[in-house]
Amino acid sequence: MTFNSLQYAAFLPCVFLLYWALGHRQQNILLLGGSYLFYGTWDWRFLGLLLFSSVVDFVIGRQMGRAGTDRHRRSLLLTSLVVNLGVLGFFKYFNFFVDSATELLGAVGLAPATPVVEVLLPVGISFYTFQSLSYTIDVYRRRLEPTESLLDFCAFVAFFPQLVAGPIERATHLLPEIQRTRRRPRWYQVRSGCVLILLGLFKKVVIADALAPVVNEAFAQGEAGSGHWLALLVGAYAFALQIYGDFSGYSDIARGSSRLFGIELMRNFEQPYLSRSITEFWRRWHISLSSWLRDYLYVPLGGNRRGPRRTSINLALTMLLGGLWHGAAWTFVAWGALHGLYLMVDRWTGRERPDVDRPVGAGDLASILWTFHLVCLAWVFFRAGSIGGAFSYVLRILTFGSGSVVLGSVLLVGLAALAVIAVDLGQRTSGHHDVVLRWPELRRGLVYGVAVAGIVLFSGGSPVPFIYFQF
Amino acid sequence: MTTSVDDLGASEVLAMPEPRRRRRGARVLCAVVLVLLVVELVARLLEPQLSPAARWNHAVPGDHLENVERLSAAGGVDVLVVGSSSVGSGVDPDQLADDTRVRRGAYNLWMNGPSAQSIELLTSRFAMPALSPQVLVVAVSSRELNDVGRSQRDHVEVLRTSSAGRTLLTGEGPVARLERWITRASALVRTRQELRQPSRVLDVLLGRRERSAIGPRGMDTERVDQTLEILPAHVEQEREALRPFAVGGAELEALAELVDAAQARGIEVVLVDMPVLEEVYVPYHQRGVEDDRRYRAVLASFAEAQDVELVQARELDWDEDLFADENHLNGKGARRLTGLVGDAIDR
């Protein structure tokens, strides 16, 4: 069941109506049951894994609260890390490491017999593993009291609006939200939740899904070393817009759905393509992951406290692992490495502390465009099927390869870019994600009407899965 | 990072008296309805200019649909030939009509890269009722019967989810019924496949039409004069459609449904195993010759079980000069195959 399916359109109102007819404890039982049902529609076999992860971290958290010594607490944290990362590693990276090791040994003349294991990737495992880990780490750091309710903890790990693709919530924020008694939502909360869902669907269906064929065509050509350079450049822009529309659309629907239950989720995107540097980009793109990596990886590694050289190493390591988090492929590692390099250059050139609150002006256009193109270059590696394919793609653009350009595709990408710029500039200048709610009613109604018409126009057929579901 | 209540635009709303809030809500709703009505009106104005293929998500060439409509109005055809683009260039309906001396003639209704399920859907729900043939020639190759081919699955999905496909499919529960109702009621829904492509909208506004090589009786005339040429892009496309490969399952069931539907209408069915340039085409299969043998054995036993005539064209020798590429005959090859089909119909 995806957010852009008819099943979800029926599921959400049913859970919503039932939820507000129940008391607090029953609400959490419903949230847990609904979340497991939601997850089970993908593959019910992985429900056991979700429950296992939740129970392990719940028990470890409770034991940590009772542990008398720091050594005992450390060993419990280590157990949580080994179990969670072990499960993640097995399901996500087993074949990658076996294949890479086989290739490496093959290159030096050895041909080992390698195990062939067909490992299916459970949907959302990277997201809920990190979310669950944030709990044990924060309990270990004494930033959070361990919960005594298994029900609340399982509902926190499995909360369906953000279970399969985030935002990766911190236990310090979402767990208290799950635990507190929630008041019946006011009309403005329901209305604003619905507006976020509408906005998210618009980004997903009208921007991301509409651009998918253009992106597929461009990468099929570019990776094979063919295609006109302009078509490939437009294809790279199209992918930047597609992945943004897809992922931020998902986050908006997640936040909107969650708001209907009186639970606020964190913002995951803050107009990232209006960033003036890569450092600023990472404060605005997939905020829940970048802040997770900062707090639970970069800072424990020493952050920027141990001199410039160590800071660079920490940055590179964090971004490499951030790349690998997305998937078991060298293309993701290359994407992370490029961003690590960009961030290091930002530090060397003194742009490591961007003023993210400063309004965007015409004078920022050059730095915004430069940053966008750096991001697009990294996206080519992220999207390509292989490192070689990504290099072919980039080389084809740089050497002005010839071929044909489909005017319709260029037009479509241009229209999608205009839509993204309009939404993001509106949000940035107003400072609100749901800026449309502040507009006069006629203007608001016209915007809703255009959004609904756009969704109808670009939908139909089987719903296209969200890109980040594969991670 | 969390959103404050003020972020929800609450303060202004809460400060408002209740009747005013309701009035504002009604105005918003009116504006939404107004926009949707305008969009629907535009779609209705553009609909007559759009290609009929849009209703089928362009899985069926538009010229076929116009031809079928024209022939249907003129009383239909006696022989209907269905299959993939190989059939489009491989069977000449004019020659077939001459050979078999049928009064209403023949029509060749082919699609690019279909599966047996696509052929079944288009033929039994659309073409057979519209053209009322006496003979149905179903010409297939291993590609159409591959039960695990990705492109075949995509093709039938495209047909099923097209507005025309939705309208024809029946008995699929309340959601499908609702979708059909919406499709019938809204021009925006019917034409959205076309309207979402700016270049197509531009073509409509500028009165441009795509070039077509489909004759009035459906034959693909583009390959008539071609000599053999193996193109890498086409090779890749065919290999993808044959890997992985498994014959049987839903595709074979669809073929059986098509034969049953035709026989139930009293239509005689002729099955044709389409010729291919074997030394080139057979290795495209996942397991090469083994897959091809399996396909031919399954097709032969299927024809026997269904009690239909099977033209095993591949048992003859097909030289390179009869092909435009590895699985499309040229004009010379088409003359030979059409003769074989005509003989089978006469029998």
Side-chain angles (χ1 to χ4, degrees):
Chain A
M1 191 191 315
T2 57
F3 283 169
N4 52 338
S5 66
L6 282 174
Q7 289 101 310
Y8 190 73
F11 171 81
L12 185 66
C14 289
V15 179
F16 172 74
L17 292 175
L18 207 56
Y19 179 85
W20 290 112
L22 299 172
H24 173 63
R25 191 172 163 74
Q26 287 78 28
Q27 281 180 336
N28 283 357
I29 293 173
L30 177 70
L31 276 189
L32 182 62
S35 299
Y36 276 28
L37 176 70
F38 177 82
Y39 193 71
T41 55
W42 269 286
D43 197 330
W44 59 268
R45 291 171 298 177
F46 293 132
L47 277 174
L49 193 64
L50 181 62
L51 185 64
F52 170 74
S53 272
S54 306
V55 171
V56 164
D57 284 332
F58 171 74
V59 171
I60 286 176
R62 224 160 60 150
Q63 292 299 319
M64 239 185 242
R66 292 170 186 171
T69 63
D70 279 351
R71 198 174 157 196
H72 188 193
R73 292 169 63 80
R74 232 187 337 268
S75 65
L76 285 166
L77 175 67
L78 197 65
T79 309
S80 170
L81 289 171
V82 167
V83 170
N84 281 291
L85 297 179
V87 168
L88 182 65
F90 174 75
F91 279 97
K92 197 159 180 172
Y93 304 106
F94 179 81
N95 284 337
F96 173 65
F97 285 124
V98 168
D99 292 347
S100 300
T102 309
E103 267 180 40
L104 194 68
L105 290 171
V108 295
L110 298 169
T114 52
V116 178
V117 182
E118 200 64 43
V119 183
L120 287 176
L121 182 67
V123 179
I125 189 169
S126 309
F127 290 90
Y128 72 70
T129 302
F130 271 34
Q131 181 156 314
S132 190
L133 267 180
S134 83
Y135 169 75
T136 47
I137 298 173
D138 283 342
V139 170
Y140 171 77
R141 289 173 172 176
R142 298 186 200 280
R143 287 182 186 164
L144 183 70
E145 282 298 311
T147 176
E148 290 298 314
S149 166
L150 179 61
L151 170 69
D152 290 352
F153 185 73
C154 287
F156 152 72
V157 177
F159 185 47
F160 74 85
Q162 45 86 245
L163 171 60
V164 288
I168 305 166
E169 282 289 342
R170 305 299 177 78
T172 47
H173 169 240
L174 185 58
L175 194 54
E177 288 269 311
I178 299 274
Q179 287 171 321
R180 75 179 166 82
T181 308
R182 294 174 287 275
R183 282 180 302 152
R184 199 176 287 269
R186 305 292 295 266
W187 163 239
Y188 61 83
Q189 284 175 308
V190 174
R191 190 182 66 159
S192 120
C194 292
V195 167
L196 274 177
I197 293 173
L198 183 67
L199 177 66
L201 278 175
F202 180 83
K203 287 180 179 174
K204 165 67 180 160
V205 176
V206 181
I207 295 173
D209 293 353
L211 292 176
V214 179
V215 174
N216 295 344
E217 178 64 25
F219 276 83
Q221 288 195 347
E223 288 185 61
S226 60
H228 193 282
W229 68 272
L230 186 60
L232 301 187
L233 187 63
V234 169
Y237 294 156
F239 181 63
L241 297 170
Q242 183 199 7
I243 196 165
Y244 177 47
D246 196 280
F247 196 18
S248 74
Y250 175 90
S251 297
D252 286 341
I253 300 170
R255 290 181 62 221
S257 301
S258 179
R259 192 172 281 176
L260 296 180
F261 300 104
I263 295 172
E264 283 297 324
L265 296 180
M266 68 184 293
R267 289 179 181 178
N268 220 7
F269 293 89
E270 290 280 11
Q271 310 90 39
Y273 292 147
L274 297 179
S275 302
R276 288 155 288 209
S277 68
I278 292 293
T279 308
E280 185 181 350
F281 174 79
W282 277 106
R283 305 246 169 110
R284 298 182 175 282
W285 178 271
H286 201 175
I287 298 165
S288 64
L289 176 68
S290 57
S291 59
W292 197 103
L293 290 172
R294 181 195 62 209
D295 295 347
Y296 298 112
L297 184 62
Y298 177 68
V299 172
L301 283 172
N304 58 3
R305 302 185 304 274
R306 297 188 186 171
R309 183 182 291 181
R310 184 58 195 265
T311 302
S312 297
I313 292 171
N314 291 343
L315 272 176
L317 203 59
T318 304
M319 294 315 292
L320 279 175
L321 287 172
L324 204 56
W325 174 89
H326 285 83
W330 290 110
T331 47
F332 295 126
V333 176
W335 173 79
L338 264 177
H339 273 285
L341 182 69
Y342 294 161
L343 290 173
M344 281 192 253
V345 173
D346 268 7
R347 288 198 78 81
W348 298 335
T349 53
R351 282 185 295 180
E352 75 274 22
R353 289 189 196 283
D355 181 4
V356 289
D357 295 327
R358 186 166 63 82
V360 175
D364 295 318
L365 191 63
S367 54
I368 287 174
L369 283 176
W370 174 244
T371 304
F372 178 69
H373 280 84
L374 288 178
V375 171
C376 283
L377 175 64
W379 281 139
V380 172
F381 285 84
F382 190 93
R383 172 62 176 75
S386 66
I387 299 273
F391 274 115
S392 297
Y393 194 103
V394 174
L395 263 175
R396 189 82 189 160
I397 296 175
L398 295 177
T399 55
F400 298 104
S402 60
S404 61
V405 183
V406 180
L407 186 66
S409 303
V410 179
L411 206 57
L412 198 64
V413 176
L415 288 173
L418 280 179
V420 167
I421 292 168
V423 171
D424 279 10
L425 267 182
Q427 289 182 341
R428 175 69 72 88
T429 48
S430 71
H432 299 284
H433 271 208
D434 39 18
V435 53
V436 68
L437 284 172
R438 290 151 197 281
W439 289 353
E441 53 268 34
L442 183 65
R443 191 168 156 201
R444 198 162 8 121
L446 291 177
V447 170
Y448 294 162
V450 169
V452 172
I455 291 166
V456 173
L457 187 64
F458 284 90
S459 57
S462 306
V464 183
F466 288 87
I467 295 173
Y468 263 71
F469 279 10
Q470 62 186 295
F471 308 139
Chain B
M1 292 292 180
T2 57
T3 310
S4 66
V5 170
D6 189 47
D7 191 20
L8 313 181
S11 44
E12 298 99 297
V13 180
L14 288 176
M16 231 177 262
E18 183 65 21
R20 206 180 137 205
R21 258 189 265 172
R22 260 192 243 130
R23 270 204 308 277
R24 286 183 66 164
R27 270 186 231 153
V28 172
L29 196 64
C30 284
V32 172
V33 172
L34 183 72
V35 172
L36 292 177
L37 283 176
V38 168
V39 174
E40 176 66 21
L41 187 68
V42 171
R44 277 175 195 268
L45 286 173
L46 289 175
E47 193 174 20
Q49 327 292 326
L50 298 175
S51 156
R55 294 201 307 273
W56 289 94
N57 289 356
H58 293 272
V60 189
D63 285 4
H64 275 319
L65 301 161
E66 286 175 355
N67 289 344
V68 168
E69 209 169 279
R70 177 176 47 79
L71 289 169
S72 174
V77 295
D78 285 313
V79 182
L80 173 63
V81 185
V82 293
S84 69
S85 59
S86 309
V87 183
S89 58
V91 181
D92 181 351
D94 290 325
Q95 184 192 333
L96 197 59
D98 289 344
D99 290 354
T100 52
R101 293 177 297 282
V102 290
R103 186 177 53 83
R104 291 184 298 156
Y107 192 79
N108 186 339
L109 182 60
W110 56 272
M111 290 176 278
N112 273 318
S115 66
Q117 292 186 72
S118 313
I119 296 170
E120 189 276 326
L121 171 65
L122 187 74
T123 310
S124 58
R125 319 272 174 123
F126 171 71
M128 278 196 314
L131 296 175
S132 314
Q134 290 180 335
V135 180
L136 175 68
V137 178
V138 185
V140 292
S141 66
S142 54
R143 181 181 164 141
E144 289 82 69
L145 289 187
N146 182 8
D147 197 41
V148 287
R150 205 175 303 123
S151 60
Q152 291 90 329
R153 202 169 47 232
D154 288 348
H155 193 277
V156 72
E157 188 63 18
V158 162
L159 273 187
R160 278 186 183 146
T161 56
S162 66
S163 63
R166 278 176 207 270
T167 320
L168 290 178
L169 289 167
T170 51
E172 286 189 13
V175 175
R177 278 202 293 278
L178 179 69
E179 283 183 351
R180 269 200 303 282
W181 181 81
I182 295 171
T183 305
R184 285 197 191 103
S186 166
L188 174 63
V189 174
R190 281 197 300 275
T191 57
R192 58 187 169 183
Q193 294 281 347
E194 196 91 339
L195 293 183
R196 70 176 61 156
Q197 298 173 54
S199 55
R200 286 205 190 274
V201 176
L202 266 181
D203 286 345
V204 168
L205 294 175
L206 299 174
R208 290 195 298 235
R209 281 204 62 150
E210 57 194 63
R211 194 182 64 86
S212 169
I214 296 176
R217 290 278 170 173
M219 190 176 179
D220 176 3
T221 52
E222 208 167 46
R223 294 186 173 94
V224 171
D225 298 320
Q226 278 183 16
T227 52
L228 182 68
E229 189 179 11
I230 310 284
L231 296 168
H234 181 65
V235 172
E236 197 48 45
Q237 203 180 321
E238 293 300 317
R239 285 165 69 102
E240 263 184 39
L242 295 168
R243 292 174 185 207
F245 185 85
V247 67
E251 299 301 340
L252 200 64
E253 280 169 25
L255 195 60
E257 277 174 34
L258 176 58
V259 172
D260 290 345
Q263 288 173 338
R265 284 171 171 264
I267 299 169
E268 185 196 332
V269 179
V270 174
L271 210 54
V272 181
D273 180 13
M274 286 298 291
V276 291
L277 197 56
E278 297 205 7
E279 60 274 25
V280 181
Y281 195 76
V282 170
Y284 292 169
H285 295 76
Q286 190 182 15
R287 289 173 294 269
V289 180
E290 191 189 323
D291 283 340
D292 184 56
R293 271 200 203 121
R294 168 104 184 109
Y295 151 72
R296 294 181 71 179
V298 167
L299 190 65
S301 58
F302 173 83
E304 200 180 338
Q306 294 279 338
D307 194 23
V308 294
E309 173 91 24
L310 172 63
V311 180
Q312 288 180 314
R314 286 179 60 189
E315 286 186 353
L316 304 174
D317 286 332
W318 293 83
D319 294 333
E320 282 188 1
D321 67 332
L322 299 171
F323 286 92
D325 61 38
E326 61 270 50
N327 62 337
H328 291 91
L329 294 168
N330 57 21
K332 197 174 164 191
R335 275 193 293 282
R336 187 176 184 208
L337 180 66
T338 308
L340 291 173
V341 175
D343 290 346
I345 293 173
D346 282 342
R347 280 198 295 276

